[in-house]
Amino acid sequence: MAGASSARPIARSILAAAARWHVEARCGSADAAALQAWRDASAEHERAWELLQRMDSQLGAIPPALALPALQAAQQRRRAAARILAVLVAAGGGIALGQAGLRSAPWQAWTAALRTAPGQRRHVTLADGGRMDMNTDSAADVDYGATHRRIRLHQGEIMLATRADPRPFLVDTPHGVIRALGTRFSVRCDADGSSVSVFEHAVEVRCAARPDAVRRLEAGQQMHFTASRADAVQATPAHQDSWLRGMLVAADWPLQQLVAELARYRRGRLACDAAVARRPVTGTYRLDDIDAVLESLCASHGLQVTYVTRYWATVSARRA
């Protein structure tokens, strides 16, 4: 373990994914080709996987009920993965996590009370009569108390329609806090930061590292922010909320941007070849069958999709 301790820390998101793969493999539910594709995707993926194998004796401390091959429930598997991550934190091994890491999105996303899988959407009626719509691959918790209403978005995208109530309505992401001012708005959270788009009334945004700096956004405005910085306010693009209707509207987008959006609704890895990344694309696409969208896109734009496995695909120029 000394070599692992001296190595550079493994990113939390990679370590989290490795822990989940480990649980799926031990439960017998892992897709072997998809697992191998994930390991082959980068040297860091393989390093995280090898670390898990070296620590297998310590991981054996997980209660048998969470590790038996008969385990099927997704909720139990998420808890088992979280337990593995805790063992990794306790053991060290060059992993920069600690208590701050345990509060991060990868950890809480697995154990969130409300989740959607890739390609799935979900409607939630809140206790005050408000509404939350969850987009693909999202995880959130709802915390309503006597003095507050709070949504914790760990990953993904949600649309919120609030109701009048004396309690403040807050949305937490790993990058900051959004306070609703009687409004309808969406929040999106990923590894690069969080974004908020306002459709009615207004919100206030505070970055996690700068809680005293408040940015106000009005209807028709959006902003991207990280824990330490808020970008310039921009106009919300038309059709920003089209995912609520199961649609994606692209208006003169670079192909790379369209492929990246489609990848959110599909399991595995979907990439765009650099040679065609800047090709402009305009169209309306249904989100309930991404493979059909890719087939149509290829037919109309002279492209092809190369599949390593069904979970690993690349969009590129059609060969002559």
Side-chain angles (χ1 to χ4, degrees):
M1 186 60 67
S5 300
S6 60
R8 65 186 181 280
I10 298 173
R12 289 195 299 268
S13 59
I14 294 176
L15 191 64
R20 189 168 186 175
W21 275 119
H22 185 86
V23 170
E24 295 289 345
R26 292 182 70 181
C27 296
S29 57
D31 182 300
L35 170 57
Q36 189 61 52
W38 181 84
R39 292 174 57 186
D40 292 343
S42 79
E44 286 296 277
H45 290 188
E46 183 64 18
R47 190 162 73 96
W49 181 255
E50 290 177 353
L51 175 63
L52 281 165
Q53 308 319 300
R54 290 197 300 270
M55 296 183 67
D56 199 56
S57 61
Q58 295 184 55
L59 300 180
I62 298 171
L66 296 180
L68 289 173
L71 180 66
Q72 295 298 324
Q75 180 71 9
Q76 288 178 295
R77 290 200 296 272
R78 286 194 294 271
R79 289 174 180 167
R83 185 68 178 272
I84 285 178
L85 193 53
V87 172
L88 290 171
V89 172
I95 305 162
L97 283 172
Q99 192 61 30
L102 293 178
R103 292 194 297 267
S104 68
W107 171 270
Q108 293 188 332
W110 291 336
T111 57
L114 300 172
R115 292 184 53 85
T116 56
Q120 180 187 15
R121 297 184 302 278
R122 180 177 181 179
H123 165 67
V124 178
T125 300
L126 302 172
D128 59 358
R131 175 187 179 112
M132 178 170 72
D133 288 284
M134 304 180 68
N135 201 0
T136 178
D137 197 19
S138 299
D141 285 303
V142 177
D143 177 17
Y144 274 35
T147 60
H148 66 272
R149 296 172 295 164
R150 188 181 297 274
I151 307 294
R152 293 185 173 90
L153 178 62
H154 308 298
Q155 69 179 41
E157 184 174 18
I158 55 176
M159 175 72 75
L160 294 155
T162 64
R163 290 291 182 91
D165 191 295
R167 298 169 296 176
F169 189 100
L170 307 172
V171 178
D172 290 344
T173 79
H175 311 105
V177 180
I178 301 154
R179 180 182 178 123
L181 303 175
T183 186
R184 176 174 174 265
F185 64 108
S186 67
V187 183
R188 178 168 167 176
C189 171
D190 56 32
D192 295 328
S194 296
S195 300
V196 56
S197 301
V198 183
F199 297 89
E200 296 177 13
H201 303 295
V203 302
E204 292 178 346
V205 180
R206 290 173 169 83
C207 297
R210 302 178 60 194
D212 295 332
V214 182
R215 298 287 293 275
R216 181 183 173 106
L217 277 69
E218 305 289 342
Q221 295 182 326
Q222 70 175 20
M223 186 180 72
H224 180 269
F225 62 98
T226 66
S228 59
R229 185 192 73 255
D231 293 345
V233 175
Q234 299 180 338
T236 301
H239 311 294
Q240 182 84 346
D241 60 350
S242 61
W243 61 268
L244 294 168
R245 302 180 294 278
M247 307 295 292
L248 177 63
V249 180
D252 202 28
W253 286 9
L255 178 62
Q256 185 173 30
Q257 180 182 353
L258 176 61
V259 171
E261 283 297 302
L262 294 174
R264 298 173 59 210
Y265 297 86
R266 183 181 183 278
R267 292 188 182 276
R269 181 179 185 272
L270 177 63
C272 181
D273 186 83
V276 294
R278 296 181 180 273
R279 285 193 187 181
V281 179
T282 296
T284 301
Y285 306 95
R286 295 193 60 83
L287 296 172
D288 55 1
D289 190 343
I290 301 303
D291 287 338
V293 170
L294 292 174
E295 183 177 347
S296 173
L297 188 66
C298 288
S300 60
H301 289 78
L303 303 168
Q304 68 178 25
V305 181
T306 302
Y307 292 89
V308 177
T309 74
R310 65 191 178 109
Y311 296 105
W312 188 289
T314 302
V315 179
S316 59
R318 184 182 301 160
R319 296 192 184 95

